[in-house]
Amino acid sequence: MATVTASAPRVGLPGVLKHRAAQKLLLLALLAAVLVPLADARWASGSWPHALTVDVSKPLADASDWIIDNRDSHPLFLYFFGYISNAVVLCVRAVYLLLLAAGWAGVTAIGAVVAWRVAGVRLAVGTAAAFLACGLLGMWVPTMQTLALMVVAVLVSVLVGLVLGLAAGLSDRFHRALRPVLDTMQVLPAFAYLLPVVLIFGIGVPAAVLATVVYAAPPMARLTALGLRGADKEVLEAVESLGATAPQRLLTARIPLARKELLLGLNQTIMMALSMAVIASVIGAGGLGDRVYQALASVDVGAALEAGIPIVLLAVVLDRITAAAGERAGEAPGSRLAWLYAAVAAVVVALAGRLAGRLDWPDSWTVNLADPVNRAVDWMTAHLYSGVPVVGGTADWAGHFTTWVLDPVRSGLQWLPWWAVLLLVAALAWLIGTWRTALTAVLAMAGIGVLGVWKPSLDTLSQVLAAVAVTLVLGFATGIAAARSDRFERLLRPVLDVFQTMPQFVYLIPVVALFGVGRAPAVAAAVVYALPAVVRITTQGLRQVDPAALESARSLGASSTQQLRQVQLPLARPALLLALNQGVVLVLAVVIIGGLVGGGALGYDVVFGLAQGDLATGLVAGAAIVCLGLMLDRVTQPTQRRTKGGV
Amino acid sequence: MSTPVFSVEGLWKVFGPKGDRVPGDPELTALEPAELRSRTGCTAAVRDVSFDVHKGEVFVVMGLSGSGKSTLVRCLTRLIEPTAGSIVIDGEDVRAMDKTRLRELRRHRAAMVFQHFGLLPHRTVIDNVAYGLEIQGLGKAERRARAQEVVAKVGLEGMEQRRPAQLSGGQRQRVGLARALAVDPEVLLFDEPFSALDPLIRRDMQEEVVRLHSEEGRTMVFITHDLSEALKLGDRIALMRDGRVVQLGTPEEIVSHPADDYVREFVRDVAREQVMTVRTAMRPGGCDGTEHPGALDPDEVVADAIKVVARSGRAACVVEDGRCLGVVDHERLLGVVAGTEPKKEAV
Ligand SMILES: Nc1ncnc2c1ncn2[C@@H]1O[C@H](COP(=O)(O)OP(=O)(O)OP(=O)(O)O)[C@@H](O)[C@H]1O
Ligand SMILES: [Mg+2]
């Protein structure tokens, strides 16, 4: 009896689904049959009809001019934004000076000591080595600039995230209101945040810090709320039964119980802040990101690498330290005395450096990496770019990829009538998700048309589609291989770990070295960036398939390919859809940044708008990026995510 | 009988939309639980429950899963807000208490032990035990000292600095018990405290409770779904089904006189000789002698009487305060074991 009821839905489900999918498509076809002739008769045009666009660039330009004219006089700026801006500058400056005053020896010692207390000796050595490497590469000052900006941005992000998260953790209503906002912010590419802050604060450190805060605060808020809500109910009941007041309950139970999530939130916030602090170099963040940005602008791979390596080192070190803190959250805290000794040791080192007159990193201790790297790149350009027998050169590959994949996809998309694109979006989103997600996706896509950036958006979309296709093929293949071989997975894991911590920006460096500039390198960077997440989710999904189901398939004599095709892949479908969704979101983020290396389209519009002070163009492109991000997320959003309620 | 500590009268708890209209509506209260749910979307977890808990007794509430025991015990200190009825503790109306007064009640007068312990994982054993005192605002030294005493009392010495994750289930529940004892409450509330434990450890813990009760005489309300636990610990037992109390009485009353088929089914496999007392088994009337062979106490269980009778080979007297109340012989004792003893007679 029990088995009958348990297995009935499983057997019945695909049939019902197919049935429902057919129903949805039928309904959509009916709707299209009525609406399309009407729309086509009225606005016959392949691209988005001009009559349906709203020219927002004029009012935007006016607004931006007004802000620029009034920035120094209007009370709103003088007494509100002005204060914020000054405070940010002051804080960053103060932290920067503090770091410089500690000297390179002091900063290295402090970093190592913190790593030692939080995560053990190995990480302490690694941290020290990472800081010394930054100095050796001649990047001490930019590293400190980036660090100063990060410290301020992370502090503010954590504060904002904590406040929002506490509110959402304690109030259901606030949680319901905040959740969709955070969900949406999570899928938007970093570039979309830049222009609004620049509009208000102008290019400079305040804008960079605030953009970073807006980008990095959501994970903290989300995880704080999650931690507070996930607390063991019985523990809270026990606390209540002992007569705790609401503040006591919060401070002695709810917050400590959420410690793991809080530390994970801190980890994610720091990583996102680093990623954004580097990208924000295009709006005046300075530091390491700026070096990479300048170097990429002149296609100087060596210089870009010199600044890129410290970024990666910072990312890995920060990630490991905060992750270790999270893992140790359940254990007994270390003794205070050890912290005291550690602090004293760090101060002694800093003072010693000061007395020895060696605050700045000595010039003679730097290694010139740029020249050899550039020579290697030159050699590559000469020998590997093209005409290598049999395999062809990397530039040839890029060229072929552009001509044979990117161009056809782009012209195909742009050839499609506008209503056909909307229809496709609707059909896909509805098949995978609900009518709600479909509606949002269609509205977002229509929004792009209304903004008048239909063509460049389809260009971006074509790059995203190509990159996602490549990512999925490689990612699923690798994921399946990793799920089937423990050895391979063990080998792969550290690689994925490192790749997942690296900021988006640094992925541009190697692809420029290999493929030059253009759309193909942007796609390549996007693929490399999105691949680790896709591989990881696929592997996990396949490995979590109910062992009993696999066992029974094996007992029926299924071969291992049959097991994979008939049991594992179908059962891992939710995970695969999630991988698709993540892949799309990550790919979009980097394809947009690809505007910096010749990716063109929307990303380029943003960069162009920033560079030329033409904020209106940039803002329209930014809005289109938001719409595109929303559309892509909703199209690939499985129904489950709404109900799951996880991170 | 002494004055009741808790006095519960017509208590209702209805979960769901507009649950408060249910208790007052005779049409709705007459419905079966399933029907009520489908009609109104409400679950009546506790329905019209009344009982008194006397000072110093162990009052057991027992029933199957979902019968509303946890809800009932939580209503006593308003961890769950009751829908209707009255709860009086020491003459004070609990439902009328304001926040401060309620907090006082929870801090000093009733402490609870939970099924899954409800310990704070980030605190050491001693800090978990001292938690209730900390909430009350006691200084660190004083609360540590008091917690230390209680830790010793429940047999956890040497583990003060461990964390809950480093303890076994039984030890964790000792911490939970110690935490409740540390605030020196008038009443201890237990919500299935031992059902997550292994049978052997469960027996240890039950004995611990028996010992604590005999040493300190603290009033206890004990929730369980395990009949043998209820019979072992309870001075009186309230048997719940679908939110109602179907029978309330001493273990012996419940075993010997089940109120309905449900209870009868429940107690069917009980070893009756372990529950029934000699007072019920005896044939009333004196032995007309002065020796009183056997000389059994009337509150001794039948199992003990069987030993005495079997050893001596003849009927034994039941003696209270030097007066012979009656005699038990093979026939009477066998009748108890077989469940065919005559209905209770006035003593
Ligand atoms: N918060 C709630 N909302 C709605 N219904 C609830 C809620 N809490 C309990 N119930 C319902 O009330 C009834 C009684 O639940 P309760 O937890 O009191 O049972 P119990 O006797 O303690 O069972 P167990 O032995 O499983 O702990 C159950 O039907 C349960 O589904
Ligand atoms: Mg219960």
Side-chain angles (χ1 to χ4, degrees), chain B residues 15 37 43 45 64-72 115 192 225:
Chain B
F15 290 110
R37 187 160 29 233
T43 310
L64 296 180
S65 183
S67 55
K69 311 174 299 280
S70 299
T71 309
L72 174 63
Q115 178 172 6
E192 300 200 26
H225 65 240

Side-chain angles (χ1 to χ4, degrees), chain A residues 479-567:
Chain A
I480 290 172
R484 303 185 66 163
S485 151
D486 287 333
R487 266 222 357 247
F488 184 52
E489 202 200 354
R490 266 202 307 281
L491 284 178
L492 202 61
R493 190 172 293 154
V495 181
L496 294 184
D497 279 346
V498 171
F499 273 64
Q500 274 195 314
T501 52
M502 287 208 282
Q504 303 155 4
F505 210 54
V506 288
Y507 285 91
L508 297 179
I509 303 170
V511 295
V512 167
L514 274 176
F515 304 117
V517 294
R519 278 181 291 150
V523 168
V527 169
V528 181
Y529 180 66
L531 208 48
V534 172
V535 170
R536 184 155 277 175
I537 299 172
T538 309
T539 313
Q540 273 172 6
L542 287 176
R543 282 191 176 255
Q544 274 163 11
V545 163
D546 184 9
L550 264 184
E551 190 80 83
S552 67
R554 213 170 297 142
S555 75
L556 290 171
S559 71
S560 70
T561 18
Q562 277 174 329
Q563 283 171 34
L564 185 70
R565 277 216 350 259
Q566 294 169 356
V567 182

Side-chain angles (χ1 to χ4, degrees), chain B residues 229-288:
Chain B
E229 188 168 79
L231 296 174
K232 184 166 177 180
L233 299 176
D235 291 321
R236 287 189 306 143
I237 299 174
L239 231 146
M240 282 185 83
R241 180 192 188 186
D242 291 341
R244 288 189 197 279
V245 171
V246 288
Q247 188 170 10
L248 200 166
T250 61
E252 191 175 5
E253 282 164 359
I254 288 187
V255 172
S256 58
H257 299 94
D260 58 14
D261 288 344
Y262 176 75
V263 183
R264 191 165 300 122
E265 192 59 26
F266 232 107
V267 300
R268 206 181 57 185
D269 295 328
V270 172
R272 302 164 59 85
E273 68 278 11
Q274 301 285 358
V275 178
M276 310 289 281
T277 58
V278 172
R279 195 194 296 274
T280 323
M282 71 190 182
R283 179 182 302 122
C287 60
D288 301 330

Side-chain angles (χ1 to χ4, degrees), chain A residues 234 237 240 243 248 252 256 333, chain B residues 74 103 107 116 122 131 135:
Chain A
E234 215 188 31
E237 206 170 32
E240 174 119 30
Q248 280 175 333
T252 60
Chain B
R74 280 165 177 71
R103 212 150 48 222
R107 285 184 176 184
H116 301 289
H122 58 284
Y131 184 73
I135 292 291

Side-chain angles (χ1 to χ4, degrees), chain A residues 240-574:
Chain A
E240 174 119 30
S241 81
L242 287 162
T245 60
Q248 280 175 333
R249 199 158 63 233
L250 185 66
L251 291 176
T252 60
R254 295 194 82 156
I255 290 181
L257 286 175
R259 226 162 30 157
K260 261 210 149 77
E261 283 82 0
L262 291 179
L263 284 168
L264 185 62
L266 177 67
N267 170 282
Q268 291 200 3
T269 291
I270 288 180
M271 300 322 289
M272 307 248 322
L274 179 59
S275 186
M276 190 61 164
V278 177
I279 291 173
S281 57
V282 296
I283 57 167
L288 292 171
D290 194 46
R291 299 294 177 101
V292 178
Y293 178 44
Q294 304 291 350
L296 282 178
S298 53
V299 200
D300 180 351
V301 174
L305 201 64
E306 273 188 342
I309 291 174
I311 295 176
V312 173
L313 291 177
L314 265 188
V316 172
V317 162
L318 286 172
D319 178 55
R320 289 304 127 84
I321 294 181
T322 44
E327 274 155 30
R328 292 196 170 187
E331 296 170 22
S335 76
R336 297 227 177 96
L337 211 61
W339 270 105
L340 191 72
Y341 286 141
V344 168
V347 170
V348 167
V349 173
L351 283 179
R354 211 182 167 92
L355 293 177
R358 287 224 181 258
L359 277 185
D360 301 329
W361 185 273
D363 284 337
S364 54
W365 289 10
T366 55
V367 178
N368 186 345
L369 197 68
D371 289 341
V373 168
N374 278 337
R375 269 201 299 282
V377 172
D378 286 344
W379 182 87
M380 266 175 43
T381 319
H383 294 89
L384 297 180
Y385 259 36
S386 74
V388 179
V390 187
V391 286
T394 52
D396 292 345
W397 296 348
H400 290 324
F401 190 73
T402 311
T403 357
W404 295 112
V405 179
L406 287 175
D407 284 347
V409 174
R410 178 171 67 180
S411 41
L413 278 176
Q414 290 176 345
W415 166 84
L416 275 181
W418 57 277
W419 46 262
V421 175
L422 291 188
L423 218 55
L424 261 176
V425 166
L428 273 178
W430 204 10
L431 281 184
I432 296 185
T434 62
W435 67 268
R436 254 175 235 263
T437 55
L439 192 65
T440 323
V442 170
L443 285 181
M445 200 64 212
I448 291 173
V450 171
L451 286 170
V453 279
W454 187 254
K455 266 195 124 127
S457 300
L458 288 187
D459 187 359
T460 300
L461 185 59
S462 71
Q463 295 176 38
V464 170
L465 291 183
V468 166
V470 177
T471 309
L472 289 187
V473 169
L474 293 178
F476 284 166
T478 319
I480 290 172
R484 303 185 66 163
S485 151
D486 287 333
R487 266 222 357 247
F488 184 52
E489 202 200 354
R490 266 202 307 281
L491 284 178
L492 202 61
R493 190 172 293 154
V495 181
L496 294 184
D497 279 346
V498 171
F499 273 64
Q500 274 195 314
T501 52
M502 287 208 282
Q504 303 155 4
F505 210 54
V506 288
Y507 285 91
L508 297 179
I509 303 170
V511 295
V512 167
L514 274 176
F515 304 117
V517 294
R519 278 181 291 150
V523 168
V527 169
V528 181
Y529 180 66
L531 208 48
V534 172
V535 170
R536 184 155 277 175
I537 299 172
T538 309
T539 313
Q540 273 172 6
L542 287 176
R543 282 191 176 255
Q544 274 163 11
V545 163
D546 184 9
L550 264 184
E551 190 80 83
S552 67
R554 213 170 297 142
S555 75
L556 290 171
S559 71
S560 70
T561 18
Q562 277 174 329
Q563 283 171 34
L564 185 70
R565 277 216 350 259
Q566 294 169 356
V567 182
Q568 283 181 298
L569 286 181
L571 286 185
R573 201 188 120 154

Side-chain angles (χ1 to χ4, degrees), chain A residues 29-403:
Chain A
L30 272 177
L31 212 66
V34 179
L35 290 181
V36 167
L38 278 178
D40 204 38
R42 206 172 141 78
W43 303 291
S45 101
S47 173
W48 185 269
H50 192 70
L52 287 182
T53 60
V54 178
D55 188 11
V56 285
S57 58
K58 180 82 176 62
L60 275 180
D62 287 348
S64 127
D65 286 345
W66 183 85
I67 289 176
I68 290 167
D69 290 343
N70 287 281
R71 203 173 267 150
D72 299 323
S73 53
H74 196 275
L76 181 67
F77 288 94
L78 278 184
Y79 298 110
F80 184 65
F81 293 127
Y83 278 128
I84 295 183
S85 169
N86 288 342
V88 168
V89 171
L90 218 67
C91 291
V92 174
R93 188 96 202 126
V95 175
Y96 178 60
L97 290 178
L98 216 66
L99 288 173
L100 286 190
W104 62 268
V107 171
T108 307
I110 293 169
V113 155
V114 170
W116 172 52
R117 288 314 304 152
V118 172
V121 176
R122 264 184 57 194
L123 214 56
V125 175
T127 306
F131 273 118
L132 296 180
C134 295
L136 274 179
L137 287 168
M139 286 289 146
W140 188 260
V141 171
T143 306
M144 289 307 109
Q145 284 168 346
T146 297
L147 212 54
L149 194 144
M150 283 263 304
V151 167
V152 175
V154 166
L155 283 181
V156 179
S157 302
V158 166
L159 214 69
V160 171
L162 270 181
V163 170
L164 290 178
L166 273 177
L170 299 180
S171 146
D172 286 334
R173 266 185 50 205
F174 192 74
H175 186 236
R176 270 199 302 278
L178 189 67
R179 192 125 164 244
V181 177
L182 295 183
D183 278 347
T184 307
M185 286 178 80
Q186 182 162 296
V187 303
L188 297 186
F191 253 42
Y193 294 105
L194 298 180
L195 276 143
V197 283
V198 169
L199 182 64
I200 293 172
F201 292 98
I203 284 183
V205 169
V209 169
L210 288 169
T212 308
V213 169
V214 174
Y215 188 64
M220 192 71 209
R222 177 187 290 276
L223 281 156
T224 305
L226 185 75
L228 289 179
R229 294 188 159 265
D232 185 343
K233 259 194 67 204
E234 215 188 31
V235 176
L236 293 185
E237 206 170 32
V239 169
E240 174 119 30
S241 81
L242 287 162
T245 60
Q248 280 175 333
R249 199 158 63 233
L250 185 66
L251 291 176
T252 60
R254 295 194 82 156
I255 290 181
L257 286 175
R259 226 162 30 157
K260 261 210 149 77
E261 283 82 0
L262 291 179
L263 284 168
L264 185 62
L266 177 67
N267 170 282
Q268 291 200 3
T269 291
I270 288 180
M271 300 322 289
M272 307 248 322
L274 179 59
S275 186
M276 190 61 164
V278 177
I279 291 173
S281 57
V282 296
I283 57 167
L288 292 171
D290 194 46
R291 299 294 177 101
V292 178
Y293 178 44
Q294 304 291 350
L296 282 178
S298 53
V299 200
D300 180 351
V301 174
L305 201 64
E306 273 188 342
I309 291 174
I311 295 176
V312 173
L313 291 177
L314 265 188
V316 172
V317 162
L318 286 172
D319 178 55
R320 289 304 127 84
I321 294 181
T322 44
E327 274 155 30
R328 292 196 170 187
E331 296 170 22
S335 76
R336 297 227 177 96
L337 211 61
W339 270 105
L340 191 72
Y341 286 141
V344 168
V347 170
V348 167
V349 173
L351 283 179
R354 211 182 167 92
L355 293 177
R358 287 224 181 258
L359 277 185
D360 301 329
W361 185 273
D363 284 337
S364 54
W365 289 10
T366 55
V367 178
N368 186 345
L369 197 68
D371 289 341
V373 168
N374 278 337
R375 269 201 299 282
V377 172
D378 286 344
W379 182 87
M380 266 175 43
T381 319
H383 294 89
L384 297 180
Y385 259 36
S386 74
V388 179
V390 187
V391 286
T394 52
D396 292 345
W397 296 348
H400 290 324
F401 190 73
T402 311
T403 357

